[in-house]
Amino acid sequence: MKPSLIEPQAGGLIVREKEPLNLEMPFGSLDSFITPNERFYVRCHFPIPEIDAKKWRLKIEGEVNTPLELSLDEIRAMKTRTITATIECAGNGRVFLMPQVKGDQWERGAVGNAEWTGIPLSSLLERAGVKSSACEVILQGADQGEIKDPPRPAGKIHFARSVPLGKANDDVLLALEMNGNKLTLAHGFPVRAVVPGWYGVASIKWLERVIVSARPFRGHFQTIDYSFWERIGDLPTQLPITEMQVKAVIARPEVQEVIPAGEPYRIHGAAWSSNAEVTKVEVSFDWGATWNEAQLLDDTAPDAWRLWEYEWAVPAQPGKATLMARATDSRGRTQPCKRVADFGTYMINHLLPIDVQIA
Ligand SMILES: Nc1nc2c(c(=O)[nH]1)N[C@H]1C(S)=C(S)[C@@H](COP(=O)(O)O)O[C@H]1N2
Ligand SMILES: [Mo]
């Protein structure tokens, strides 16, 4: 059966953009550790490419001893692995930035957690034989388009990102399946990369080329776009966006939800980080003056989010309340109170107040 585009829309996703297709999960509907495929957000920069699975080939080239060209059947015949990984778009939460910035106005739902089955990138690299001159692995998608705003390269470009050779060999997966089903077109059929712990931008969909490079790649989607500033002393230095920042997001209540006074209410959500475990989620009702520890729920996996809940004794007095959640991870990182200005329009993990009505 041909993978369809209908599937993601069937899950009641919010349409942020039709062309290119950008769909968001209504995060208030979070009710399971694994995000069902039809509720997993979709982020595309260019039109979804038409791919003929029979003609499709994955090329591995560059600093390798034996360049390869593999058919889908050849890839499917290789030894697979299944991992659970959370992918968040680096622009998730952008609607909360003040003043408003350019880009898709994602709320809370440009994030999902799935079980991915595929071939470790390391096994392809091993087959091709990486030369000692190699430092990075560039992943190229089949999709292409023109960049609208300068500075921009001339003509159409492919969507592409690089990962350092160490990360490529460590845990990058070339996924064929998402939650036990063949990838849908929107999620990158026939093969997509999954780069655990990194923002979604690195998880290249419709993968068609793997280029092993002897020098760092400075492509559009990791310099002009999808980059941030880090300071060396006072001096800002530009870096590509890679690891996800620690973050807890409240699924329910929703902003302006009306909550019955004097009854218990289950506040719940998800929390994730990168290359670390979420060790604590806390909830505050007084703008962060005091914090109450939430309960982390059962399901865990190294690169997956953690669901959490907190039973709130809702005041008997009607009125307004403001809720905030914050996560801490095993690397000792926690969320900043205020927006980090050097993060630009990405990596939005400062504390977000959720105003509700008690009635
Ligand atoms: N080829 C290609 N890969 C891509 C993109 C894209 O536009 N083209 N978008 C990236 C971004 S920014 C994100 S957040 C994830 C989203 O993956 P999803 O659509 O499966 O949720 O795909 C990444 N991989
Ligand atoms: Mo993204």
Side-chain angles (χ1 to χ4, degrees):
M1 209 180 69
K2 217 179 151 204
S4 76
L5 286 178
I6 318 261
E7 203 183 323
Q9 278 128 332
L13 296 186
I14 305 159
V15 179
R16 293 277 171 228
E17 234 181 317
K18 276 195 172 144
E19 192 60 62
L21 191 65
N22 283 294
L23 307 171
E24 176 167 351
M25 172 195 172
F27 206 67
S29 72
L30 175 78
D31 60 2
S32 54
F33 176 65
I34 295 291
T35 310
N37 290 0
E38 66 279 5
R39 258 198 278 160
F40 204 103
Y41 81 100
V42 173
R43 172 75 180 108
C44 301
H45 293 75
F46 301 136
I48 291 177
E50 273 181 34
I51 288 173
D52 179 340
K54 290 220 174 73
K55 288 195 195 131
W56 177 90
R57 294 287 180 277
L58 181 63
K59 300 187 187 73
I60 295 108
E61 58 193 72
E63 303 297 307
V64 293
N65 297 321
T66 320
L68 304 173
E69 247 193 77
L70 301 172
S71 70
L72 191 50
D73 284 343
E74 284 172 297
I75 290 181
R76 284 189 182 137
M78 292 177 72
K79 194 166 180 263
T80 62
R81 234 192 110 192
T82 298
I83 59 166
T84 306
T86 295
I87 298 186
E88 184 191 17
C89 179
N92 190 31
R94 186 175 286 141
V95 72
F96 300 107
L97 294 184
M98 304 238 242
Q100 223 190 3
V101 296
K102 280 206 300 188
D104 284 309
Q105 296 300 304
W106 303 107
E107 210 204 277
R108 293 162 297 161
V111 58
N113 183 53
E115 241 181 45
W116 310 93
T117 301
I119 313 301
L121 176 55
S122 61
S123 47
L124 285 187
L125 294 175
E126 200 186 341
R127 230 165 118 169
V130 173
K131 292 184 180 167
S132 60
S133 50
C135 76
E136 282 195 355
V137 178
I138 306 168
L139 307 169
Q140 175 183 316
D143 53 332
Q144 48 178 328
E146 266 186 36
I147 304 301
K148 288 194 195 88
D149 300 318
R152 61 176 174 196
K156 285 187 172 183
I157 62 167
H158 283 275
F159 197 83
R161 271 293 294 227
S162 71
V163 287
L165 186 61
K167 177 74 177 167
N169 271 322
D170 182 28
D171 61 357
V172 175
L173 193 74
L174 306 187
L176 297 153
E177 288 178 15
M178 183 175 178
N179 296 328
N181 294 306
K182 218 187 268 179
L183 287 175
T184 59
L185 257 189
H187 290 296
F189 175 86
V191 176
R192 78 165 308 161
V194 173
V195 181
W198 284 28
Y199 282 107
V201 61
S203 290
I204 298 297
K205 303 193 280 189
W206 313 291
L207 189 68
E208 62 170 17
R209 246 169 133 181
V210 173
I211 305 164
V212 180
S213 173
R215 58 194 178 107
F217 180 57
R218 308 244 321 130
H220 177 84
F221 297 100
Q222 59 198 69
T223 53
I224 291 160
D225 204 359
Y226 291 99
S227 61
F228 71 107
W229 299 103
E230 197 175 80
R231 301 274 168 163
I232 298 180
D234 272 351
L235 298 171
T237 183
Q238 196 184 34
L239 292 181
I241 281 172
T242 59
E243 289 194 328
M244 294 190 289
Q245 300 286 313
V246 63
K247 181 168 174 179
V249 175
I250 296 176
R252 292 284 304 274
E254 305 263 17
V255 174
Q256 294 308 339
E257 189 170 317
V258 179
I259 295 175
E263 288 173 27
Y265 182 97
R266 179 180 177 260
I267 300 170
H268 75 104
W272 57 92
S273 181
S274 177
N275 205 9
E277 245 179 82
V278 169
T279 48
K280 192 164 68 174
V281 172
E282 299 157 293
V283 179
S284 175
F285 303 94
D286 54 12
W287 290 87
T290 59
W291 291 94
N292 309 276
E293 203 160 331
Q295 180 105 31
L296 293 170
L297 302 179
D298 288 336
D299 280 321
T300 60
D303 298 299
W305 65 20
R306 198 86 196 259
L307 300 186
W308 57 269
E309 65 182 13
Y310 179 81
E311 190 167 293
W312 180 24
V314 181
Q317 204 67 358
K320 287 185 180 152
T322 301
L323 281 52
M324 295 199 298
R326 99 177 157 189
T328 303
D329 72 14
S330 54
R331 282 159 76 181
R333 296 176 298 187
T334 192
Q335 295 178 242
C337 292
K338 285 213 187 93
R339 174 69 187 148
V340 181
D342 279 344
F343 286 176
T345 63
Y346 294 112
M347 303 203 287
I348 300 139
N349 79 323
H350 61 294
L351 301 181
L352 294 178
I354 304 284
D355 293 325
V356 297
Q357 309 280 344
I358 300 172

